Amino acid sequence: MKKVIIVGAGPAGLTAAYELLKKSDEMDVTVLEESQDMGGISKTVRYKGNRMDMGGHRFFSKVPEVNEWWAQMLPQQGAPAWDDIYLKRPVETTPGGPDPEKEDRVMLTRNRVSRIYFDKKFFDYPISLKWETFKNMGLATTIVAGFSYLKATIFKRKENSLEDFYINRFGRKLYSMFFENYTENLWGRHPSEIDPSWGAQRAKGLSVMAIIKDMFGKLLPNKKNHHVETSLIESFKYPKLGPGELWDVTAAEIEKLGGHILKGCKAVGFNRGADNAITSVIYEKDGEKITADADIVISSMPVKDLVAGMDHVPEKEAAIAAGLPYRDYMTLGVLVPKLNLKNKTKIKTVGDIVPDNWVYVHDRTVKLGRFQIYNNWSPYMVEDLEHTVWVGLEYFVYENDKYWNMTEDEFARFGIGEMVKMGLIDKAEDVIDYHMEKVKKAYPAYFDTYKDMDQLIAWLNTIGNLYCVGRNGQHRYNNIDHSMVTSFEAVKNILSGTRDKSNIWSVNTEKEYHEEKK
């Protein structure tokens, strides 16, 4: 039996564990997870009957293997009327999460609604060419934005930064309105300081021209078969009890197959032999350091921490890893009787709240980056769906900055104050309850030593039995499906004996990522 140590019980780590155990009976698999939860940033937090999704996770992929995998873990369901879903409650769960033996576990089909809240008005995200958009911007701004876009199409900028990337696709005016401030808020850096690779991954082929093509594509007779950019999808799958349900079920399946999942175990060191291969992993549990032998190591932990846990790392590669930047994440769940936002759409919701899954905040007077409306992800996320709205205020911060170091009550006063300032609620006293959550290294960032990432990857690949997977494992802003695919590829290499790891690192590097509408 080969001893496999997998670091991290997020989507990539759990996928790798399940795939190895499912496809081979020669693997002794152990997953080390620092926290007590499954799913990493994709976990679901439970608080007094309400559930929180850390960052919002849409389940949508063009990869058949991923879609089949999701369907195997959580049976698919169509999109019944809101009232029909609600009447099927209550949900039967165990104290540790959903019971994998229950037949009520399901993957819902949800409508995708995301908008921008700017100048106390709603704009489609991505920006659409609807009459409402022009009305909200006003005639003068619309004219300036139009000429600005035309200028950008004629005088293309060399794409040395994320700012160049956005201006080339939207023009300077739209960039300044809908990208500049939000991006700086998200990353803590101006877009002119950020590598354009982030835009290539997250926005892919999105541009004004892509929006026009999508708009006209919907008018064609065969519109159901036309391709659409990732950011333009109109529906997605979502676990009934939040994304953590999928990973709780996966963890249960791994243990059924004989795998071991050790919670509260933080990987802190990696011993290597004469051939440079990792021979053992050192982890901490309850203050004690434990050494576990390893024939194979699959790491989804931050590359920065992985390299820091090794001895005899070349000076240049050690410096690259140490300088890799991250953005941390804080969210405040706020329970209120209602929001002041009016539902002017044609989409029916319980209580007639706005139908958005999340809303991007482009108000320069607040720190808030985005807010989720958990009612709209799944009705099972809210205990009293008919009388309360469960909102998640999302803040992008740095670990140990002034926001990170706030107490829950301090952070709540700050966040609720911004809700009042934006007009989401009338007064702080309207809030029924609140709950704070923090996530370290939620977003790998594309500046500082990231420019030398290829050199670090080349060195990591010299460690024959080490496989880096997932968002933090590759320091790449992957979605769930891409994180899973990195593990699919790693498992294929392990089982086939393939030494070339370029297939693992090439996942999600294509410049265009089209989704086929179903």
Side-chain angles (χ1 to χ4, degrees), residues 20 32 58 80 156 171 218 292 322 342 344 369 393 432 458 466 487 489:
L20 277 174
L32 303 178
R58 296 187 179 117
K156 287 289 184 184
K218 293 174 182 177
K342 302 297 182 183
K344 297 180 180 180
L393 309 181
I432 300 169
L466 172 65
S487 291
E489 295 300 317

Side-chain angles (χ1 to χ4, degrees), residues 266-292:
K266 179 181 180 180
V268 295
F270 301 86
N271 296 318
R272 286 180 289 148
D275 61 353
N276 204 34
I278 295 175
T279 57
S280 61
V281 177
I282 304 168
Y283 65 91
E284 286 184 352
K285 181 174 177 61
D286 299 327
E288 179 186 359
K289 286 190 176 180
I290 303 168
T291 300

